[in-house]
C-alpha cells in the first residue's frame, strides 16, 4: 500500500492521524445515536440491579427478618458467575455488528489505501473503552446492593478482561459474515459453550469421560474465557480478602496435613494391606497384576512424599516392586507410614495452635472481638469457602492411572508437579499455576491467559482468518454442488 512506502518517520504519524480520525468518526457516530448510547450505558447497571436483587438472600425465620450478611449469602458464587456471563454477552452484542455495518463505508474508502490496522485499532479502542464503563457500572451497582467489599479491583479486572475478549470475538464474526441475522444467530452458539464449560454448570470431573478425566480440566475447557475468569474470581475472593489472607498459610498447612492424615495415608495403608493379603503375586511380573499395580502406586506416591520430607527417610522405597518386596519391606513401609501420620498430626496441631494464638492476639477486648467478627462477615463468604475447598463433595480422594488424586481442598493444593515447563494444567481452584518453572498466582495467571486469547483473536481479525475459512466453505458448497 501507499502507507507502507512511507518512511518510518512519516508512517507512524500518518497511522496515528488515521487512527484518531477513525476513533473520532466512530465516537461521533455512536454519540449521535441517543438510543444506542442510552441502552449501552444503562444495560449493565440495570442487569446488575436485577441480578443482585434476586440473589440477595438472607434467612427469614418465624416471620422475623434477620439482617443481611455478605458472609451468609449462599448466592454469591451465582452472582460472580452471572457477572461473567453478562460481561461476555454484552461484550459480544456491542461488537457483533461493528465491522458489518461499516461494509459500505469501507468499500468506498478501499481505494484510498487507508491503514487497516488503524481502522481495527480504533474499533478496539472504542469498544474497550465502552467495556470499561459498562463493567465498572455493573460492578459498582452489584457490589453496593450485595455489600460486596471494594477492597480490591480484582473483580473489575476479571469482568473487563472477559468483556474485551468478547469484543474481539464479536469483531471476528462481524468481519466474517455478511448477514446481521447470521451474526445474531451465532451469538448464543458462542455464549452457550462458555456457560457449559465454565466449571460451574457442570463440574469438570463430571463431564463426558470421552473428553475429560477425574484429574484436571479438559482441553476444551481450557479454551473458555469463562473458566479462567470464574476460577480467578473464586480464588482471589477467598484467598486474597483482608480477613482470610492473614490466616491462609496456616489454613493451608492444616488442610494439607489433614488431607494426608485422614485420606491419603489410609489409602496407602489400604494398598499395602492388599499387597500383604496377596502374597502369591509378589513374584508375578505380568501386566494386569493388581499387586504389581499397587506396589507401583505405593512406590510413586512415597517417592513424592520423600521429595518433601527428605529422600533419606525411607531407603526401602525402591524395594516396593514385584520381585523385591517381602515381609521385611512390608514392616518397614508400615512403620514409615505410621511415622508419617504422626508427623502430619503434629503439623496439623501446630497450625491449629498458631491460628488460635493469632486470633487471640486480635480479640483481647470485647471491642476487638466485635471488630474481628464484623471483619469476617464483611470480607469472607461461606459458600465461596465451601466451593473452593470442595468440602461438600463426598469424594475426597480417588485413584486414577496409578496415582492418588486429591479432590478435597484444591484451594490449598500447591504440590502439582508439571510434566514440562509449559504444563500449567491442574485441578480447578488451585491457588498457583506452574509455568516456565515458576509459580504464578492463579488470579494474575488467569488474567494473562484471557488477554493472550484476546490478542490471538486480534491477530485472526487482522488477517481475516475466520472470514477466509467462511469464504472457502461457501465456495466449496457453491461450486462443489455444481460439479
Amino acid at each position: 500500500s501507499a502507507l507502507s512506502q512511507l518512511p518510518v518517520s512519516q508512517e507512524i504519524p500518518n497511522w496515528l492521524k488515521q487512527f484518531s480520525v477513525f476513533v473520532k468518526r466512530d465516537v461521533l457516530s455512536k454519540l449521535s445515536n441517543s438510543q444506542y448510547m442510552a441502552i449501552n450505558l444503562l444495560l449493565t447497571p440495570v442487569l446488575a440491579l436485577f441480578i443482585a436483587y434476586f440473589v440477595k438472600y438472607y434467612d427469614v425465620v418465624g416471620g422475623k427478618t434477620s439482617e443481611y450478611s455478605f458472609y451468609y449469602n449462599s448466592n454469591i458464587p451465582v452472582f460472580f458467575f452471572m457477572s461473567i456471563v453478562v460481561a461476555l454477552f454484552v461484550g459480544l452484542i456491542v461488537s457483533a455488528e461493528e465491522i458489518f455495518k461499516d461494509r459500505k463505508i469501507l468499500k468506498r474508502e478501499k481505494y484510498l489505501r487507508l491503514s487497516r490496522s488503524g481502522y481495527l485499532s480504533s474499533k478496539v479502542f472504542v469498544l474497550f473503552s465502552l467495556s470499561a464503563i459498562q463493567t465498572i457500572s455493573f460492578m459498582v451497582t452489584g457490589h453496593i446492593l450485595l455489600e460486596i467489599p471494594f477492597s480490591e479491583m480484582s473483580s473489575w479486572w476479571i469482568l473487563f478482561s472477559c468483556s474485551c475478549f468478547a469484543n474481539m470475538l464479536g469483531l471476528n464474526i462481524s468481519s466474517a459474515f455478511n448477514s446481521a441475522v447470521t451474526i445474531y444467530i451465532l451469538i448464543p452458539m458462542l455464549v452457550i459453550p462458555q456457560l457449559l464449560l465454565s466449571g460451574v454448570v457442570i463440574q469438570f470431573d463430571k463431564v463426558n469421560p470421552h473428553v475429560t478425566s477425574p484429574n484436571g480440566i479438559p482441553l476444551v475447557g481450557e479454551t473458555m474465557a469463562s473458566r479462567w475468569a470464574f476460577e480467578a474470581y473464586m480464588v482471589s475472593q477467598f484467598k486474597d480478602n483482608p480477613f482470610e489472607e492473614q490466616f491462609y498459610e496456616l489454613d493451608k498447612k492444616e488442610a494439607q496435613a489433614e488431607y494426608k492424615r485422614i485420606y491419603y495415608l489410609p489409602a496407602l495403608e489400604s494398598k499395602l494391606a492388599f499387597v500383604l493379603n496377596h502374597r502369591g503375586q509378589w513374584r508375578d511380573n505380568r501386566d494386569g497384576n493388581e499387586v504389581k499395580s499397587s506396589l507401583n502406586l505405593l512406590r510413586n506416591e512415597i517417592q513424592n512424599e520423600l521429595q518433601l520430607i527428605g529422600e533419606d527417610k525411607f531407603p526401602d522405597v525402591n524395594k516396593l516392586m514385584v520381585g523385591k518386596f517381602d515381609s521385611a519391606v512390608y514392616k518397614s513401609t508400615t512403620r514409615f507410614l505410621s511415622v508419617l501420620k504422626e508427623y502430619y498430626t503434629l503439623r496439623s496441631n501446630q497450625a491449629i495452635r498458631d491460628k488460635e494464638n493469632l486470633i487471640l492476639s486480635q480479640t483481647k477486648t470485647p471491642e476487638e472481638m466485635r471488630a474481628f467478627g464484623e471483619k469476617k462477615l464483611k470480607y469472607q463468604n461461606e459458600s465461596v469457602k465451601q466451593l473452593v475447598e470442595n468440602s461438600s463433595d463426598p469424594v475426597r480422594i480417588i485413584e486414577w492411572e496409578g496415582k492418588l488424586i486429591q479432590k478435597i481442598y484444591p484451594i490449598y493444593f500447591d504440590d502439582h508437579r508439571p510434566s514440562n515447563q509449559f504444563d500449567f494444567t491442574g485441578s480447578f481452584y488451585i491457588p498457583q499455576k506452574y509455568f516456565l518453572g515458576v509459580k504464578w498466582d492463579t488470579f494474575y495467571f488467569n488474567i494473562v491467559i484471557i488477554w493472550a486469547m484476546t490478542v490471538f483473536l486480534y491477530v485472526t481479525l487482522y488477517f481475516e482468518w475466520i472470514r477466509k475459512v467462511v469464504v472457502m466453505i461457501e465456495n466449496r458448497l457453491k461450486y462443489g454442488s455444481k460439479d
Side-chain angles (χ1 to χ4, degrees), residues 13 50 53 97 147 210 259 336 365:
F50 176 80
Y53 178 79
E97 274 196 79
E147 299 180 15
H210 290 291
Y259 164 72
F336 173 74
T365 64

Side-chain angles (χ1 to χ4, degrees), residues 17 29 84 214 309:
K17 183 178 180 180
S29 173
I84 294 168
I309 64 174

Side-chain angles (χ1 to χ4, degrees), residues 326-345:
D326 54 24
S327 298
V329 176
Y330 166 77
K331 292 179 181 179
S332 64
T333 306
T334 301
R335 286 194 300 270
F336 173 74
L337 294 179
S338 178
V339 171
L340 204 56
K341 187 176 290 187
E342 293 179 6
Y343 166 74
Y344 282 117
T345 300

Side-chain angles (χ1 to χ4, degrees), residues 15 17 102 107 150 256 271 280 317 327 340 345 379 413:
W15 181 89
K17 183 178 180 180
D102 287 347
K107 191 173 182 179
F150 289 92
Q256 289 177 341
K271 285 292 180 183
V317 63
S327 298
L340 204 56
T345 300
Y379 292 110
F413 181 72

Side-chain angles (χ1 to χ4, degrees), residues 316-462:
D316 288 342
V317 63
N318 291 322
K319 294 181 180 179
L320 291 170
M321 61 177 61
V322 171
K324 292 184 179 182
F325 185 82
D326 54 24
S327 298
V329 176
Y330 166 77
K331 292 179 181 179
S332 64
T333 306
T334 301
R335 286 194 300 270
F336 173 74
L337 294 179
S338 178
V339 171
L340 204 56
K341 187 176 290 187
E342 293 179 6
Y343 166 74
Y344 282 117
T345 300
L346 292 174
R347 280 181 62 87
S348 177
N349 293 337
Q350 184 62 51
I352 293 172
R353 286 194 297 269
D354 291 343
K355 183 175 180 180
E356 289 176 348
N357 291 334
L358 182 57
I359 294 174
L360 287 173
S361 68
Q362 300 180 23
T363 55
K364 294 179 180 179
T365 64
E367 292 77 13
E368 289 180 342
M369 291 180 65
R370 184 168 54 254
F372 181 85
E374 290 175 352
K375 187 175 183 180
K376 179 179 181 179
L377 295 177
K378 179 179 180 180
Y379 292 110
Q380 194 172 64
N381 179 263
E382 188 177 33
S383 293
V384 171
K385 184 176 187 292
Q386 291 176 354
L387 200 58
V388 296
E389 289 183 348
N390 199 28
S391 56
S392 61
D393 192 337
V395 179
R396 306 303 174 91
I397 185 172
I398 61 171
E399 181 182 348
W400 177 256
E401 295 183 348
K403 299 178 182 178
L404 293 178
I405 307 300
Q406 177 180 342
K407 303 300 291 183
I408 192 173
Y409 303 137
I411 189 62
Y412 303 118
F413 181 72
D414 60 358
D415 194 29
H416 172 65
R417 293 176 176 82
S419 58
N420 56 70
Q421 288 193 335
F422 299 97
D423 178 19
F424 53 78
T425 59
S427 300
F428 208 36
Y429 304 132
I430 59 175
Q432 295 175 322
K433 303 291 176 65
Y434 285 79
F435 189 66
L436 300 177
V438 179
K439 287 184 179 180
W440 304 85
D441 184 270
T442 290
F443 170 77
Y444 296 105
F445 185 85
N446 288 18
I447 293 296
V448 169
I449 290 292
I450 295 173
W451 279 100
M453 292 191 292
T454 304
V455 172
F456 175 76
L457 286 175
Y458 180 83
V459 174
T460 64
L461 174 66
Y462 183 83

Side-chain angles (χ1 to χ4, degrees), residues 3-224:
L3 182 64
S4 63
Q5 298 174 6
L6 292 173
V8 175
S9 58
Q10 299 180 30
E11 182 178 337
I12 295 177
N14 191 54
W15 181 89
L16 289 174
K17 183 178 180 180
Q18 292 189 34
F19 169 78
S20 62
V21 170
F22 284 130
V23 168
K24 183 178 180 180
R25 183 173 71 180
D26 201 9
V27 170
L28 291 176
S29 173
K30 286 176 169 54
L31 291 175
S32 65
N33 189 337
S34 58
Q35 289 185 350
Y36 174 90
M37 293 302 300
I39 290 175
N40 277 283
L41 294 179
L42 293 176
L43 178 61
T44 50
V46 169
L47 286 174
L49 188 65
F50 176 80
I51 296 170
Y53 178 79
F54 282 99
V55 303
K56 190 173 184 176
Y57 168 78
Y58 52 96
D59 281 327
V60 180
V61 182
K64 183 180 179 181
T65 304
S66 59
E67 292 185 359
Y68 171 81
S69 170
F70 171 69
Y71 179 83
Y72 291 110
N73 188 347
S74 58
N75 293 325
I76 291 299
V78 176
F79 176 75
F80 289 161
F81 176 61
M82 290 306 301
S83 301
I84 294 168
V85 173
V86 168
L88 290 169
F89 181 73
V90 174
L92 265 172
I93 61 175
V94 300
S95 60
E97 274 196 79
E98 283 297 309
I99 297 178
F100 171 79
K101 69 181 182 181
D102 287 347
R103 287 276 167 84
K104 292 182 179 179
I105 297 176
L106 294 175
K107 191 173 182 179
R108 288 198 301 267
E109 296 176 345
K110 180 178 180 181
Y111 300 102
L112 298 177
R113 298 185 179 275
L114 299 178
S115 170
R116 175 172 172 77
S117 62
Y119 169 76
L120 294 178
S121 298
S122 69
K123 287 291 182 184
V124 170
F125 176 79
V126 173
L127 288 172
F128 282 14
S129 301
L130 179 60
S131 291
I133 297 171
Q134 289 176 324
T135 49
I136 287 175
S137 62
F138 182 94
M139 186 193 73
V140 170
T141 305
H143 282 221
I144 290 175
L145 189 59
L146 293 175
E147 299 180 15
I148 301 174
F150 289 92
S151 56
E152 54 192 80
M153 289 295 291
S154 60
S155 57
W156 178 76
W157 272 111
I158 294 168
L159 297 182
F160 177 63
S161 300
C162 283
S163 189
C164 292
F165 167 83
N167 289 157
M168 294 309 307
L169 194 57
L171 287 175
N172 271 273
I173 63 173
S174 181
S175 172
F177 296 94
N178 298 322
S179 167
V181 175
T182 303
I183 291 171
Y184 283 102
I185 288 175
L186 281 173
I187 289 178
M189 295 177 64
L190 295 173
V191 172
I192 289 174
Q194 296 285 343
L195 305 182
L196 189 65
L197 297 170
S198 62
V200 182
V201 178
I202 303 176
Q203 295 181 21
F204 285 124
D205 56 358
K206 302 292 193 302
V207 178
N208 188 324
H210 290 291
V211 297
T212 189
S213 69
N215 181 25
I217 299 169
L219 180 60
V220 65
E222 302 284 19
T223 63
M224 300 294 146

